[in-house]
Amino acid sequence: MCGIIGYIGRRNIVEVLISGLKSLEYRGYDSSGIAVLKNKKILRHRTVGKVVQMESTIPAEFHHFVVSKNEENLVGIAHTRWATHGKPSEENAHPHTDCKQKFVIVHNGIIENFIEIKNKLTKHKFSSETDTEVLVHLIEEKYKGSVLDAVKEAIKLVHGSFAFVLISTYEPDKLFFARKDSPLIIGLGENEKFIASDVTAMLKYTNKFIFLENDDYGIVTIDDIKVYNTKTTALQNRNVAVVNWTAQMAEKAGFKHFMLKEIYEQPQVLRENITARVFGEDIVFNDEVKFSSAQLKKIKKILIIGCGTSYHAALVIKYLYEQILKIPVEVDIASEFRYREPVLSKDTLAIFISQSGETADTLASLRMVKENKILTLGVCNVIGSSLYREADSTIYIRCGPEIGVASTKAFTGQLICLYLFGLYLAKLKSILSEQRYQELLNSLYKVPSYIEHILADTSYIKQLAEMFYMKKDFLYLARGINYPIALEGALKLKEISYIHAEGYPAGEMKHGPIALIDKDMPVVIIATKGSLLQKVFSNLEEVKSRDAKVIALTNYGIESKSIDYKIVLPETDEIISPILNVVPLQLLAYYIADRLGCEIDQPRNLAKSVTVE
Ligand code: M6R
C-alpha cells in the first residue's frame, strides 16, 4: 500500500511527480505529499486527502522552480498514503524529514520495530506518529559523510517491509533507494530516471524498467544506476525489461470509472489470452510454464493460494480441476495458509494467484512452499513483479494495467489462463476424452462474444441497481462451481458500495443464514443451466417462501414464478459458466455503487496492492 515516486532529470518535476502520484493513487489515497531539492534546501508540501488536494494547494515557490535552468538536474520525491501507523493527517503524510532537514524520505511498507528504534533515538525530535519517520532519523543518525553508507547501516537495523526513496541536501544529485518485500522499479529515460512503486507511474515517459529485487539498495543519478544487495558485497547487475503497456492503457478512455472500463475490456482480455496460447487443437504454455512434461505428469495434488478476488478464482479452479484432472485440489487464503502448518507433499504443484504479484501474504506463502522444494507456478498480471520473478514459472494473464481497486478483468483473466492450463494438463495426462476436451475448448472460444452480448445492453442491470441501491444487506447464493462467483459478487458489492453482502453456498442456507431472510432482503441467486439447477431451485423456493426479493441469473427457457427479476445470460457449459456469470454481478455492484455516489475506483480503507500483511 502507498505509492511512491522519485525523479531526477530536467522536466517539469512537479508535473512528473504529481502525474505519477495520480496513477499510483489506487495504492492509497488518504493523504499525499511532495518534496524537491532547491538551492540545497528541501521544499516540502503535504495535505490530507487525494492528490488533487495537494496539487491544488501547492505553494507558488514550487512553480517557480519546476523547469530546469542551466542544465541543472531537478530531484524530487512524492507519496500517496494508505495509513497504517497514525491517522491521515498532514503531520503523518509523507515525505518525512530528519531533525536538520537534510534528508527527506517516502516509504511504502511497515517498519515493524519502529518503537524500539525510536526509543533509542533519544536526541531526535519526531513530528509524526508514523513508522517511516523513524527511518529517516535513523539514516540521519548513521550519516558519517556518505548517504549510501547511512542507508546501508540503517536498513541493517530495520525489520518489516519497505520500499523507500530518499533525497539529501548532502548529495543533491542522487536518488537513494532500498527495497525489502515491497515493490520498487526504476524507469530509464534519456537523461532522466524515475523510480516508483509501479510502472504505471512512469509509462508516460518510458517503457524500459529495472525491477529491483528483495534486499536491493543503491543510488540513481542522471546517467547511472548502482544497485547493491544486503546479502552480498558485490555490485549487482539487474536486467532491463521492456514492458509493452502504454500510458493510454492506464487511462479511463471516456469511461466514468476505471472499473467500468475494465469490465468492458474483458472480452478483449479473454481473446488475447486464448489467441496467445491456443493453436488449432493445441494449447501451448511453452515460454511460460518451464516444467517438463515428466514433472507435470507426476503431479498428484494441486494447492492454490490467493487473497480476495484471486482467492475466489482459486476456488473456481478447484471445482474445475477436480472434475477434469481428477486430482485433489486444496485452496487456501494466503494469510491463513502461511500461519498454519500445512502438510506439503513433494508431488504437489502449488499455484499462486495474484493480479499485482506483490500481495505480501501470497508472497510469504510462496516463499514458505519454495522452502519445501515444491513446484511453484505464479499467475500474475505484472511482469517483473515479485511473484513473477520468484515463482518457478509464471503465467502472465495479459490484462493490461488494472487500476480500479475492485478487481474485474484480472479475475476473468486469471480464470481463462487457469482453464487453459487445466485443459493443457488434462491432455498431457490423457485424462479427458478428446471429445470433451474439444467441447470445452470450443465453449471457451465463445465466452468473449457472450460477454460482449451481456455488455451490449446493461439497461436492465441499471434498473435493478436503481430499485435496490437503498438496501442495507444482500445475499448471494449459488452452488457448485458457481458458489465462488456468489462470493465474488458479494465482495464486489461490499467493497465499492459499502453495502453488507454475503456470498453463501445455497445448500447451506438452512443451517443458519436463512434466519436473515425477510421481505427486505434481496437475494441474488445463480440459477444458470447445470447439473445442480434443480437443487438451486429448491433453495430458491426456500428463500422465496420467506418473502425475499429474488434476482436470478438464468438462461433462456428457465422459468419460475419465484424469481422476481431475471438477468438472462447466454447459455454455456456449466463448468465454463463462472467466467460469464461474474460479469452481470460486477455490473450490478458497479451501478449500485455509482447510484450511491461512491468513490468506485478508490473505495474507502482499501488499496489495490496489499504489500503489508
Ligand atoms: O493483487 P492480488 O490479486 O494479489 O490482490 C488480492 C486482493 O487484494 C484483491 O483481489 C482484492 O480483494 C480486490 N480489491 C478485490 O476486488
Side-chain angles (χ1 to χ4, degrees):
M1 357 269 274
C2 299
I4 62 178
I5 179 164
Y7 176 72
I8 178 162
R10 290 161 195 169
R11 286 181 198 261
N12 179 330
I13 193 167
V14 173
E15 196 179 292
V16 171
L17 294 176
I18 288 189
S19 90
L21 275 195
K22 283 183 180 164
S23 47
L24 292 171
E25 248 185 331
Y26 69 85
R27 304 176 68 88
Y29 29 82
D30 55 42
S31 52
S32 63
I34 182 171
V36 291
L37 291 183
K38 182 188 181 187
N39 302 333
K40 300 209 171 159
K41 280 213 168 108
I42 292 165
L43 209 58
R44 181 170 63 143
H45 173 60
R46 302 174 294 168
T47 55
V48 174
K50 299 209 162 187
V51 175
V52 283
Q53 248 101 322
M54 198 263 287
E55 184 183 21
S56 62
T57 53
I58 206 154
E61 51 183 335
F62 274 82
H63 291 295
H64 294 148
F65 160 72
V66 290
V67 181
S68 164
K69 302 209 174 70
N70 312 326
E71 301 295 294
E72 180 198 348
N73 295 325
L74 302 176
V75 186
I77 53 178
H79 186 274
T80 179
R81 181 168 185 245
W82 187 91
T84 56
H85 294 67
K87 62 181 184 311
S89 67
E90 193 179 316
E91 296 71 44
N92 290 333
H94 300 217
H96 289 286
T97 63
D98 62 311
C99 302
K100 295 190 200 118
Q101 309 265 306
K102 298 287 185 195
F103 301 92
V104 62
I105 196 168
V106 286
H107 163 230
N108 163 213
I110 291 182
I111 307 300
E112 286 167 0
N113 58 338
F114 81 103
I115 295 182
E116 188 190 313
I117 297 174
K118 195 171 183 173
N119 289 342
K120 288 185 187 149
L121 296 172
T122 46
K123 293 193 187 122
H124 292 250
K125 199 164 174 299
F126 291 88
S127 55
S128 80
E129 303 156 278
T130 65
D131 52 333
T132 303
E133 198 191 352
V134 170
L135 194 53
V136 73
H137 285 278
L138 184 60
I139 291 169
E140 176 185 31
E141 180 73 21
K142 295 288 166 195
Y143 180 72
K144 305 275 179 293
S146 155
V147 179
L148 186 69
D149 286 348
V151 166
K152 183 179 161 190
E153 292 309 308
I155 58 180
K156 277 186 192 160
L157 301 176
V158 295
H159 304 155
S161 62
F162 53 80
F164 68 78
V165 185
L166 172 113
I167 53 180
S168 169
T169 58
Y170 291 127
E171 296 180 44
D173 269 359
K174 293 172 187 164
L175 294 163
F176 298 88
F177 65 83
R179 74 147 280 185
K180 180 174 179 284
D181 295 339
S182 287
L184 197 57
I185 300 144
I186 298 174
L188 311 172
E190 283 286 315
N191 287 323
E192 59 184 349
K193 303 274 182 306
F194 308 80
I195 184 162
S197 310
D198 190 344
V199 297
T200 51
M202 304 177 272
L203 280 175
K204 256 193 196 170
Y205 314 101
T206 183
N207 65 350
K208 291 197 193 98
F209 300 104
I210 292 175
F211 290 86
L212 292 166
E213 296 189 6
N214 240 358
D215 302 305
D216 279 354
Y217 69 98
I219 310 175
V220 176
T221 59
I222 193 92
D223 48 17
D224 195 19
I225 294 166
K226 287 212 164 31
V227 180
Y228 302 89
N229 191 280
T230 55
K231 300 278 184 281
T232 152
T233 49
L235 195 61
Q236 302 296 298
N237 191 11
R238 296 277 173 259
N239 293 336
V240 176
V242 176
V243 172
N244 291 329
W245 289 0
T246 62
Q248 289 74 22
M249 286 165 105
E251 284 167 8
K252 284 189 202 150
F255 285 90
K256 188 170 177 189
H257 295 98
F258 279 110
M259 181 182 177
L260 191 61
K261 175 187 175 228
E262 288 158 5
I263 291 173
Y264 272 82
E265 283 173 341
Q266 292 178 107
Q268 179 60 17
V269 164
L270 298 183
R271 276 200 188 98
E272 269 193 47
N273 276 293
I274 295 172
T275 318
R277 302 194 182 86
V278 184
F279 300 92
E281 292 177 8
D282 291 325
I283 299 173
V284 177
F285 276 94
N286 284 351
D287 298 339
E288 297 172 294
V289 179
K290 295 174 194 128
F291 311 127
S292 67
S293 303
Q295 279 176 306
L296 291 172
K297 281 182 184 165
K298 273 193 217 143
I299 293 167
K300 299 264 176 332
K301 185 179 164 188
I302 291 179
L303 168 68
I304 319 180
I305 309 281
C307 297
T309 289
S310 297
Y311 166 67
H312 295 158
L315 285 174
V316 174
I317 297 305
K318 172 183 168 71
Y319 283 88
L320 176 79
Y321 284 9
E322 289 191 336
Q323 209 178 115
I324 68 169
L325 296 176
K326 308 283 178 224
I327 53 175
V329 180
E330 192 183 327
V331 171
D332 216 333
I333 293 173
S335 55
E336 286 299 314
F337 177 82
R338 64 182 289 196
Y339 292 115
R340 62 184 176 89
E341 291 178 23
V343 180
L344 301 168
S345 53
K346 296 276 177 241
D347 48 11
T348 300
L349 170 68
I351 302 178
F352 298 83
I353 309 180
S354 173
Q355 185 284 130
S356 61
E358 297 294 351
T359 298
D361 287 317
T362 307
L363 291 176
S365 305
L366 167 76
R367 289 167 192 150
M368 186 171 139
V369 167
K370 280 187 81 171
E371 275 170 20
N372 287 273
K373 311 263 176 289
I374 284 169
L375 292 188
T376 57
L377 175 69
V379 178
C380 178
N381 193 32
V382 183
I383 290 184
S385 62
S386 302
L387 175 59
Y388 196 88
R389 285 182 285 107
E390 291 183 35
D392 296 325
S393 280
T394 305
I395 296 177
Y396 170 45
I397 63 171
R398 295 169 184 270
C399 292
E402 190 181 66
I403 312 281
V405 164
S407 186
T408 52
K409 63 176 177 175
F411 179 69
T412 44
Q414 290 160 350
L415 289 184
I416 193 80
C417 288
L418 286 168
Y419 270 68
L420 291 171
F421 183 64
L423 287 177
Y424 167 80
L425 281 184
K427 191 163 191 179
L428 191 76
K429 290 170 156 256
S430 309
I431 295 171
L432 273 185
S433 72
E434 189 54 37
Q435 189 197 346
R436 186 67 180 135
Y437 171 88
Q438 204 54 59
E439 266 171 23
L440 290 175
L441 201 51
N442 289 342
S443 300
L444 279 181
Y445 265 122
K446 291 183 192 148
V447 172
S449 52
Y450 288 165
I451 295 181
E452 271 161 355
H453 176 83
I454 298 170
L455 296 174
D457 182 5
T458 59
S459 54
Y460 186 60
I461 300 176
K462 271 186 212 155
Q463 279 175 38
L464 291 176
E466 189 60 41
M467 278 183 241
F468 288 101
Y469 78 97
M470 294 298 280
K471 294 289 179 189
K472 295 277 171 277
D473 303 279
F474 271 72
L475 208 52
Y476 286 72
L477 302 179
R479 295 186 79 132
I481 196 163
N482 275 298
Y483 157 53
I485 301 301
L487 295 177
E488 178 59 8
L491 175 61
K492 288 290 89 89
L493 185 69
K494 62 188 145 191
E495 72 178 325
I496 60 169
S497 72
Y498 320 139
I499 294 174
H500 169 244
E502 298 243 19
Y504 238 85
E508 185 67 10
M509 285 297 288
K510 337 182 196 13
H511 301 285
I514 203 160
L516 293 168
I517 306 257
D518 63 15
K519 65 177 177 21
D520 289 322
M521 177 71 91
V523 175
V524 180
I525 189 158
I526 302 179
T528 48
K529 283 188 185 157
S531 53
L532 294 172
L533 185 60
Q534 287 316 315
K535 307 268 177 216
V536 171
F537 266 105
S538 308
N539 302 133
L540 193 157
E541 294 305 327
E542 288 159 12
V543 294
K544 190 64 208 165
S545 53
R546 275 127 189 121
D547 293 331
K549 288 279 172 291
V550 176
I551 302 167
L553 302 192
T554 63
N555 305 119
Y556 292 105
I558 295 179
E559 302 296 339
S560 163
K561 53 182 183 340
S562 299
I563 299 175
D564 298 297
Y565 307 96
K566 243 186 186 183
I567 301 175
V568 181
L569 304 175
E571 191 180 328
T572 184
D573 197 296
E574 179 182 11
I575 62 173
I576 307 291
S577 66
I579 314 181
L580 212 58
N581 290 343
V582 74
V583 177
L585 302 187
Q586 296 167 342
L587 287 165
L588 184 64
Y590 173 81
Y591 287 122
I592 289 177
D594 193 37
R595 182 64 183 78
L596 288 167
C598 297
E599 292 261 24
I600 292 182
D601 287 331
Q602 293 162 358
R604 70 181 180 209
N605 307 338
L606 289 176
K608 179 86 184 152
S609 214
V610 185
T611 53
V612 293
E613 71 165 297

